[in-house]
Amino acid sequence: MSMKKTLGYVLAVLMVFTLAACGSSGTNEEAPAISKPSTEPAAKNADKEEEASGLTGEFEIQYFVGGYGDAWWKEVIDGFQAANPALVIKQSAGSNINEQMRPRWIQGDPPDVVFIDGAGSNERQMIEDDQLLDITEYVNNATNTDGKKLTDILIAQPTAYEGGNSFTLPLVFGSWGLFYDKALFEQNGWTAPTNWNEFVAVSEQIQASGISGLIHTGVYPYYINGGLLDSAMVAANGGDSSILVSQANLEEGSFSSDAVKKALGQIGELVDKGLIDKGAIALNHTDSQAQWLQHKAGFIPNGLWLENEMKKDIPEGFEFGFVPSVAQDAGQNSIVIPYTNTIAIAKDAKNPEAAKAFIEYAFTEANAVRWAELTGALMNVKVDLSGTSASEVVKDAMGFFNSATTTVAQVAVLNADVEKAKQDATVALTVGKITAEQWMKQLEDAAAKARN
């Protein structure tokens, strides 16, 4: 699971060797209203798609088979094949596919489309090696096979690298946030928070009941960074996630701005009030999650994989609740800190027309529903999951992502050394070993060293 999570904030760690260094600038547009899609499998909906486009020749797609399995891929590829019967489709897939395909990428004989996920995948390196097609203009103008503009239905927009160009499209969308037990809250009359004052108030109520307000994964501090601190910095910056982009770009002063100071002060408030479990610093992810499931704490910062990862240990009657952020002031938007897995077109694709057509076919609301049902995760498409077999916590999360009162931050990943400094500083802050000022100095020093 730690491998899967590095795709999340350790996209911060993994993004220096997978998605490294800089996300797109600016903030996301508010989510538009959406219609509820058909939930029929894509292959069964082939007759409802556009008439076969007449695509011919050979088309190859490479995808890693890991925690998401391959059922969705097979179903969608079958539907795409049915819509394009003259196209010869080859699937290069498996748990070791990235290593197996590496020689072909090096030799300039890549597949047409690649899903960048799993061991051996390295998005950043592929971009630096000039292996991926610049899709900036294409994505900005593309529509899916339902006739909907791609950029209008995406939860997270493509990452813009140096120069503002995009080479990948987020296919899988996950979110950091805070989790709680709805049943426990209802039993005690506690209310899920929508802003910082409410969060502190309910955490004090939880603490008064004899359990910790919040527990976290101290051994892997990127959990509390992704699940609490990063959204706090964006909220303190007026909901503008460019603050994270500036940090990813190692801009001087980006770790010591007023917004950073306010966010760190909020963490300090939790420390001063004793609302963070003192034993958390020694816990790994599964231990902290197990203690939370046993009601040793009210909240835990984590990613949307949490329920699936702990499914064998979930007590009877436990109901997963999720909020993407709590640090915002009353009336401010909720902040989503995302992690993604991406899909790309090879620069040397032999059938780029088919590659683009496949993306347009895959990115529909019906296929997004099927992804949720078949993988237990979310596809990067705004969709109504009510009435589907997706898990309740995923449905709750999608409710936030579809809301006009939610801002989705951009994927912005730190230099590996700076990320390590951030983790060390944050965990020290959570136990009162350093002050907010010392946190900022340590990060500014780390960023300066990385720039040089």
Side-chain angles (χ1 to χ4, degrees):
M1 187 68 235
S2 60
M3 187 67 181
K4 179 177 178 182
K5 293 169 184 139
T6 44
L7 291 169
Y9 199 76
V10 172
L11 274 178
V13 172
L14 204 291
M15 201 175 207
V16 174
F17 50 88
T18 292
L19 232 188
C22 56
S24 53
S25 60
T27 53
N28 279 43
E29 298 293 329
E30 292 184 346
I34 61 168
S35 58
K36 186 173 179 180
S38 164
T39 58
E40 294 178 37
K44 294 181 180 179
N45 274 333
D47 60 334
K48 300 177 184 177
E49 303 292 350
E50 293 181 296
E51 293 298 322
S53 62
L55 292 172
T56 59
E58 297 181 352
F59 168 69
E60 183 179 5
I61 181 167
Q62 172 187 332
Y63 59 91
F64 171 77
V65 180
Y68 302 127
D70 62 2
W72 182 87
W73 291 101
K74 291 182 179 300
E75 186 172 286
V76 170
I77 291 171
D78 283 349
F80 187 60
Q81 178 73 84
N84 298 279
L87 191 65
V88 178
I89 301 178
K90 178 181 179 181
Q91 301 181 46
S92 295
S95 59
N96 297 313
I97 195 61
N98 296 321
E99 292 298 333
Q100 293 168 0
M101 295 290 285
R102 188 181 303 279
R104 286 184 51 190
W105 283 94
I106 294 173
Q107 294 162 13
D109 180 31
D112 298 290
V113 168
V114 58
F115 174 52
I116 305 174
D117 182 29
S121 64
N122 191 322
E123 176 174 316
R124 181 72 181 194
Q125 191 62 52
M126 295 176 82
I127 294 170
E128 292 178 353
D129 290 344
D130 199 27
Q131 293 178 333
L132 302 181
L133 184 70
D134 185 336
I135 59 172
T136 310
E137 184 176 352
Y138 163 69
V139 171
N140 286 338
N141 295 286
T143 57
N144 66 11
T145 52
D146 293 330
K148 296 190 176 182
K149 200 169 186 295
L150 281 186
T151 53
D152 287 345
I153 64 171
L154 297 179
I155 304 170
Q157 298 298 317
T159 296
Y161 285 85
E162 291 86 346
N165 296 329
S166 298
F167 300 86
T168 61
L169 185 62
L171 176 71
V172 183
F173 182 90
S175 171
W176 294 95
L178 287 177
F179 293 78
Y180 64 98
D181 178 7
K182 288 182 178 180
L184 178 67
F185 271 50
E186 183 176 355
Q187 175 185 332
N188 288 278
W190 301 332
T191 302
T194 63
N195 58 60
W196 183 252
N197 288 338
E198 291 178 357
F199 174 65
V200 172
V202 73
S203 295
E204 290 177 330
Q205 290 178 309
I206 292 168
Q207 194 89 331
S209 75
I211 65 178
S212 297
L214 179 142
I215 198 166
H216 68 100
T217 300
V219 174
Y220 305 118
Y222 59 86
Y223 279 74
I224 194 168
N225 281 333
L228 184 59
L229 179 57
D230 287 350
S231 57
M233 289 192 287
V234 174
N237 198 43
D240 183 354
S241 64
S242 65
I243 186 173
L244 303 181
V245 177
S246 296
Q247 293 174 355
N249 289 339
L250 305 178
E251 294 178 14
E252 186 174 358
S254 60
F255 290 99
S256 55
S257 67
D258 289 342
V260 172
K261 187 173 183 179
K262 178 180 178 181
L264 294 173
Q266 290 174 308
I267 301 295
E269 181 179 358
L270 300 182
V271 175
D272 292 343
K273 292 183 175 180
L275 298 176
I276 299 178
D277 190 289
K278 290 180 171 56
I281 191 172
L283 299 176
N284 65 19
H285 58 299
T286 52
D287 289 340
S288 63
Q289 291 162 188
Q291 290 201 23
W292 172 72
L293 287 171
Q294 296 163 17
H295 292 160
K296 300 294 179 62
F299 293 100
I300 187 169
N302 218 289
L304 280 178
W305 60 76
L306 175 60
E307 182 178 21
N308 187 60
E309 184 174 52
M310 301 301 290
K311 59 187 177 183
K312 295 181 180 178
D313 301 305
I314 299 172
E316 185 176 354
F318 197 99
E319 297 180 39
F320 280 75
F322 169 81
V323 290
S325 66
V326 293
Q328 63 272 9
D329 294 334
Q332 280 191 327
N333 278 10
S334 297
I335 307 297
V336 171
I337 301 298
Y339 55 87
T340 61
N341 306 109
T342 59
I343 192 168
I345 299 173
K347 184 175 182 179
D348 294 329
K350 299 176 183 64
N351 200 338
E353 181 184 0
K356 292 174 181 178
F358 178 78
I359 288 174
E360 292 157 14
Y361 181 87
F363 277 81
T364 64
E365 292 169 352
N367 284 331
V369 167
R370 292 299 291 157
W371 178 274
E373 292 178 333
L374 292 170
T375 71
L378 289 175
M379 188 172 159
N380 185 37
V381 172
K382 302 183 187 90
V383 69
D384 184 354
L385 292 176
S386 61
T388 74
S389 61
S391 73
E392 291 303 313
V393 71
V394 166
K395 291 177 182 177
D396 286 351
M398 185 59 85
F400 279 104
F401 306 153
N402 285 337
S403 172
T405 59
T406 299
T407 297
V408 178
Q410 298 146 89
V411 176
V413 181
L414 294 175
N415 165 281
D417 293 333
V418 178
E419 168 62 25
K420 179 62 166 59
K422 180 180 177 181
Q423 292 186 32
D424 291 344
T426 297
V427 77
L429 184 69
T430 63
V431 292
K433 286 186 176 181
I434 66 171
T435 64
E437 288 72 20
Q438 290 171 315
W439 187 102
M440 291 187 288
K441 184 179 187 307
Q442 289 181 22
L443 267 294
E444 288 290 349
D445 289 347
K449 184 177 180 180
R451 286 196 298 271
N452 296 328

